[in-house]
Amino acid sequence: MPIIRVDDLTFRYNGLDVISNITFSVEKGTYLGIVGPNGSGKSTLIKCILGILQPEQGRVELFGKPLDRFRHWAKIGYLPQRLNALNTHFPGTVEEIVQMGLPKKDAATLRRTLETMAIGHLASRLIGELSYGEQQRAMLARALMRRPQLLIFDEPTTALDPETREIFYALTKTLNHREGTTIILITHDIGIIGQYAQNLLYLDKKVIFSGTFKDFCSSGDMTGLFGPKSQHIICHQHDQSGACG
Amino acid sequence: MNLLDILSYEFVQRAMVAGMLIAAVSALLGLFLVLRRFSLIGDGLAHTTFGSVAVVLLIGISPLYVTLAALPLVMASSLAIYKLTSSRKINADSAIGIISSLGIASGIILASLSGGFNVDLFSYLFGNILTVNNTELLLSFIVFLIVVVVVFYFYDDLFAVTFDQELAQSMGIKTRRINVILFLLTAIAAVLAMKVAGIMLVSALLILPALTALQLAVSFRTTMIAAVVFSIVAVVCGIIFAFLLNLPAGAMIVLFNICFLFLVFVAKKLSHLRR
């Protein structure tokens, strides 16, 4: 049973298609990379999957349940692209935000998660006082805190320094390999996708490519889209990283 | 006249209790509203209250029940603001502006048409907590209980929705339900606050304690408690000084709230300079 099944999904804004007739599925334990140019509908697709946006047509199933009947939201960890214009006066501490929505507050898990993201020393600081990079790390910690079965990251590392970025990607790989956590990563950086993801969804308002990296590397259509050199680099990075699962 | 003499009057006791209850309610809701950039909703709903009171007076309902009778229209207006804001095409400030002007325009036209209750209607512009009646005291107590229970029960949801609505949705929180509850409670608080501060100053009761507490924020919970404390102290001081100086209580309460904000702001600046 796929963890996510999307069937013929279309979302319009002001009468224009943002995404149209999207169909794909994600199996348990997959590391899926979603790529596409700006405005290709990557974030919109995720928001439709999570019920944040209501699509014009189509069907979404999460863990085998239609979206409107899905209740086990603790199975999903989501990190949005940008917090909606984070109010810098918001008086919540990092600790309060990382534990947001958790039925049980577990001090040991909290400390461990904060340390993993190198923000243990910021636990009692107000989120609005932190730099954007620190805020992003706090939000990553929040997504990881629930130990979800499905993690969705929308451009997660844009504000992170290279070292934390590496730690983050290594962590996603560990979660995927050791704990079988399904990961969906949206990024502009196709090189990163090549290093970590097993599957690729290339989106430009509709699905341009959906399949494994092996299929991607042997696809003549993708050579036409990316150019032979870029495609070779991406596939080489993928082979080197051993992300084949 | 000393403090004990003032507090011995039954109408002052009633005003104190109702004032403190309404202050706590306004401060609790105000924090969520300010953080969600709905600060001016108090103004909008107060103006709608003006129109609603005009309708109630026109129908001929006893002045004793004006507050109660105005509630349904103000609650409907609050939901209308929420609905307009949710449409994604109208910003919060514009939505408040639309409903606010509708309320005040309806009030003026109804007052003009009736020709008889202008004085009654315009007395609501400035409010008078010292005239609070038993019905209003009971209503304040019930609303206080409801707001405390709602904030306690839905604390996590309110926190998440206030922090980031989309993130809250992705956590399975029924954000629509939380928003409707918040907007309905704000409507009730605005009608009650009208009695304390008058239509002109309702938003002050919602905004100022929250702003003062935010200057001292160390966590969300403590900010909420601080807002309630500042709000209650301002009401108590405002009523006492209004009585002693024979000045309008609503305006005194608002001035105390502004004083607290100013003092906290200055103290914060000084402590930054010393570091």
Side-chain angles (χ1 to χ4, degrees):
Chain A
M1 176 190 71
I3 273 189
I4 298 177
R5 189 196 293 274
V6 174
D7 187 25
D8 199 25
L9 197 75
T10 296
F11 179 83
R12 290 192 192 97
Y13 188 69
N14 281 343
L16 296 171
D17 282 2
V18 181
I19 48 173
S20 61
N21 310 107
I22 305 283
T23 298
F24 74 103
S25 60
V26 181
E27 295 295 327
K28 187 178 186 309
T30 307
Y31 196 134
L32 170 72
I34 301 181
V35 286
N38 285 335
S40 58
K42 305 183 292 291
S43 299
T44 303
L45 171 62
I46 292 303
K47 286 179 185 178
C48 287
I49 290 172
L50 293 171
I52 296 168
L53 294 175
Q54 300 303 316
E56 263 64 33
Q57 69 170 55
R59 186 181 155 84
V60 174
E61 278 184 16
L62 292 172
F63 294 86
K65 283 257 163 68
L67 185 60
D68 55 353
R69 285 201 277 130
F70 180 71
R71 298 286 177 269
H72 304 286
W73 292 98
K75 288 181 176 177
I76 302 174
Y78 167 57
L79 176 68
Q81 187 175 17
R82 270 193 91 90
L83 292 171
N84 284 325
L86 173 73
N87 186 346
T88 49
H89 300 295
F90 189 81
T93 60
V94 169
E95 197 174 336
E96 284 178 313
I97 284 157
V98 171
Q99 295 192 102
M100 183 165 66
L102 288 176
K104 274 190 201 165
K105 316 291 181 199
D106 177 357
T109 311
L110 171 72
R111 200 170 51 247
R112 205 168 44 242
T113 312
L114 293 180
E115 291 301 337
T116 306
M117 295 316 300
I119 50 168
H121 60 295
L122 301 175
S124 57
R125 290 272 301 277
L126 296 179
I127 189 94
E129 292 175 355
L130 308 184
S131 69
Y132 183 61
E134 289 168 335
Q135 286 173 358
Q136 190 78 337
R137 277 190 265 166
M139 295 316 295
L140 284 171
R142 193 207 67 82
L144 297 173
M145 189 65 191
R146 294 174 154 204
R147 290 276 164 211
Q149 294 177 32
L150 168 64
L151 274 165
I152 301 174
F153 299 115
D154 191 351
E155 301 281 358
T157 57
T158 39
L160 301 184
D161 55 75
E163 195 184 340
T164 316
R165 199 177 298 179
E166 277 303 310
I167 292 170
F168 168 73
Y169 284 123
L171 184 66
T172 60
K173 194 173 176 178
T174 307
L175 287 169
N176 180 244
H177 281 214
R178 289 205 194 141
E179 297 182 24
T181 309
T182 309
I183 301 211
I184 297 180
L185 175 68
I186 298 178
T187 178
H188 280 103
D189 189 349
I190 196 154
I192 286 294
I193 297 275
Q195 280 180 54
Y196 295 96
Q198 301 133 10
N199 288 26
L200 181 73
L201 181 72
Y202 189 89
L203 208 65
D204 194 359
K205 298 189 188 301
K206 54 188 188 337
V207 175
I208 305 292
F209 176 86
S210 175
T212 62
F213 249 93
K214 198 176 164 191
D215 296 336
F216 171 79
C217 294
S218 58
S219 164
D221 288 347
M222 291 302 105
T223 312
L225 191 67
F226 287 94
K229 200 172 170 186
S230 299
Q231 190 189 25
H232 173 75
I233 292 168
I234 295 160
C235 294
H236 179 68
Q237 279 177 329
H238 181 69
D239 292 340
Q240 291 288 305
S241 68
C244 304
Chain B
M1 188 179 281
N2 64 32
L3 190 60
L4 283 176
D5 288 337
I6 296 171
L7 292 175
S8 65
Y9 291 107
E10 200 181 319
F11 71 93
V12 175
Q13 291 166 4
R14 223 170 21 229
M16 281 284 186
V17 176
M20 287 194 282
L21 293 170
I22 297 166
V25 165
S26 308
L28 276 175
L29 298 174
L31 182 62
F32 295 108
L33 296 169
V34 166
L35 290 170
R36 293 190 57 188
R37 300 183 172 95
F38 274 108
S39 295
L40 289 177
I41 195 171
D43 256 347
L45 292 178
H47 291 167
T48 312
T49 309
F50 181 74
S52 307
V53 169
V55 172
V56 169
L57 291 175
L58 190 68
I59 296 168
I61 291 175
S62 158
L64 281 174
Y65 303 108
V66 164
T67 312
L68 207 56
L71 272 177
L73 270 175
V74 184
M75 287 164 89
S77 306
S78 191
L79 289 182
I81 291 173
Y82 169 59
K83 194 76 190 159
L84 285 171
T85 313
S86 313
S87 74
R88 288 167 175 266
K89 289 182 181 166
I90 298 177
N91 290 330
D93 51 355
S94 309
I96 292 168
I98 293 168
I99 301 298
S100 169
S101 11
L102 176 68
I104 209 97
S106 319
I108 291 168
I109 286 175
L110 288 174
S112 170
L113 285 175
S114 77
F117 57 72
N118 289 9
V119 176
D120 287 337
L121 180 62
F122 287 99
S123 71
Y124 286 94
L125 285 178
F126 305 102
N128 190 356
I129 186 71
L130 296 171
T131 63
V132 77
N133 61 42
N134 283 330
T135 314
E136 287 157 342
L137 180 60
L138 181 66
L139 185 62
S140 310
F141 184 68
I142 293 169
V143 172
F144 170 78
L145 277 184
I146 293 172
V147 169
V148 169
V149 168
V150 165
V151 170
F152 183 77
Y153 188 73
F154 290 110
Y155 178 80
D156 278 354
D157 293 359
L158 280 164
F159 180 92
V161 172
T162 308
F163 180 62
D164 189 284
Q165 185 148 300
E166 285 191 357
L167 197 64
Q169 272 178 291
S170 77
M171 290 159 64
I173 293 171
K174 296 195 179 344
T175 53
R176 201 180 138 84
R177 182 176 68 180
I178 294 295
N179 286 332
V180 167
I181 292 173
L182 181 66
F183 277 72
L184 287 179
L185 289 177
T186 303
I188 302 172
V191 174
L192 289 174
M194 169 190 77
K195 196 72 192 177
V196 179
I199 286 165
M200 306 291 280
L201 296 171
V202 163
S203 61
L205 288 190
L206 289 166
I207 299 171
L208 292 171
L211 282 181
T212 310
L214 280 170
Q215 306 305 314
L216 303 169
V218 287
S219 75
F220 198 89
R221 277 179 201 276
T222 55
T223 307
M224 216 157 63
I225 295 166
V228 171
V229 170
F230 279 120
S231 191
I232 289 177
V233 174
V235 162
V236 172
C237 295
I239 291 175
I240 293 170
F241 277 83
F243 200 84
L244 287 173
L245 305 171
N246 197 24
L247 288 168
M252 284 303 284
I253 291 167
V254 172
L255 281 183
F256 268 100
N257 268 310
I258 289 175
C259 275
F260 293 157
L261 176 62
F262 179 74
L263 290 173
V264 167
F265 193 73
V266 170
K268 200 178 162 190
K269 280 273 173 212
L270 286 175
S271 78
H272 276 295
L273 285 175
R274 276 190 198 150
R275 276 183 208 167

